[in-house]
Amino acid sequence: MIETTSTRADTRSRIVEVAAQLLREQGPSAVTTRGVAEAAGVQAPTIYRLFGDKDGLLEAVAEHTMAGFVSAKAAVVAAASADDVDPLDDLRSGWLSQIEFGVANPTLFALMSDPARVIHSPAARSGREVLEARVHRIALAGRLRVSEPRAVKLIQSAGTGVIQTQLSTPPSERDAGLADDMFEAVLARILTDAPEREANTDTVTAATIAFRAVATKLDALTEAERMLLTDWLDRALELEQTRQRKNL
């Protein structure tokens, strides 16, 4: 039988789905070349030909599983935006789902946390874009006191730390409130208080960030003018954040 591009893709997809199921139900020890080949109804050499080795197969499984998880999160963000769900509630929901997913899938988390892998991962990139969308909604609401990119990095770093800490702790000794407390700590660093009548440093910064969030969509300006405006706002935010760090 001559293998076509379509049949090759179908075979690859079937193998990945079978391996993902074995990983989910029986753990990493079940994902052997022989076991996956038998469950998928193929010969072991097929796996080597399509994935190189077991590590290549695991990477494909991680990418496949993460892509499905991220796609579901993107749909939630889109629905939250359309239904005008509070952006902080949306961010909290995304944070908790990410923590739960990482703790429930330690092998996948380890694979997707490897800098050498994640930097080239489409699923990881899509995941960042989902988080960026959530943070952008908070910026539009005038609630950020740091730039959007910095808020994203702080949330990512804290989330990774929580998952690593929980996974390195025996299940019976894990702190059930750690994720919530860490989330509140991050919010305290990235959010302003509720808007007040009297402007202060935080509210001015929040207004600048909110303006930055919509600046690229000001159709009344030319592209060059929008770029210049966003550059000014970025410089103002960078100077303000430098000043804040010096005062800590």
Side-chain angles (χ1 to χ4, degrees):
M1 178 179 177
I2 298 176
E3 183 182 53
T4 66
T5 301
S6 177
T7 57
R8 178 185 176 91
D10 289 344
T11 300
R12 189 180 194 281
S13 178
R14 185 169 72 255
I15 292 171
V16 169
E17 289 175 0
V18 166
Q21 182 176 0
L22 288 172
L23 181 65
R24 183 171 57 252
E25 296 178 353
Q26 302 179 38
S29 61
V31 186
T32 63
T33 302
R34 175 180 295 180
V36 173
E38 290 178 355
V42 300
Q43 299 297 316
T46 301
I47 293 180
Y48 291 111
R49 177 164 51 82
L50 292 175
F51 302 97
D53 53 21
K54 179 181 176 179
D55 285 342
L57 174 59
L58 283 173
E59 287 191 24
V61 169
E63 192 69 25
H64 169 77
T65 305
M66 279 297 298
F69 177 64
V70 169
S71 178
K73 288 204 302 180
V76 170
V77 174
S81 182
D83 296 339
D84 201 26
V85 173
D86 183 278
L88 288 183
D89 290 342
D90 182 41
L91 180 63
R92 185 185 301 276
S93 175
W95 163 274
L96 291 176
S97 68
Q98 185 71 36
I99 300 298
E100 290 170 359
F101 180 85
V103 173
N105 297 275
T107 302
L108 294 180
F109 174 74
L111 286 169
M112 298 307 293
S113 298
D114 182 346
R117 290 189 175 98
V118 75
I119 197 171
H120 301 296
S121 166
R125 183 167 57 252
S126 296
R128 283 194 300 274
E129 290 171 355
V130 170
L131 176 56
E132 287 166 358
R134 284 187 156 116
V135 169
H136 185 64
R137 294 187 65 223
I138 295 174
L140 289 173
R143 296 297 311 278
L144 278 186
R145 64 189 292 246
V146 299
S147 68
E148 292 182 52
R150 182 154 182 80
V152 168
K153 291 175 182 176
L154 286 169
I155 295 167
Q156 280 188 313
S157 300
T160 299
V162 169
I163 296 171
Q164 288 179 332
T165 299
Q166 297 290 54
L167 290 178
S168 63
T169 304
S172 62
E173 299 177 15
R174 290 174 184 171
D175 183 348
L178 181 62
D180 287 335
D181 288 349
M182 182 61 77
F183 185 71
E184 293 301 326
V186 172
L187 290 187
R189 181 67 187 91
I190 69 175
L191 295 185
T192 67
D193 293 329
E196 302 173 355
R197 289 184 179 179
E198 181 179 355
N200 55 36
T201 299
D202 279 355
T203 55
V204 170
T205 299
T208 304
I209 293 170
F211 188 25
R212 172 66 175 80
V214 300
T216 58
K217 301 179 178 65
L218 297 176
D219 294 334
L221 301 180
T222 66
E223 178 64 23
E225 289 170 336
R226 288 194 294 269
M227 291 178 63
L228 182 60
L229 177 58
T230 55
D231 181 57
W232 285 342
L233 293 170
D234 286 341
R235 287 167 57 193
L237 290 171
E238 182 179 352
L239 289 172
E240 176 56 29
Q241 288 169 16
T242 298
R243 186 194 66 78
Q244 289 179 3
R245 285 194 293 270
K246 288 181 178 179
N247 291 337
L248 289 178

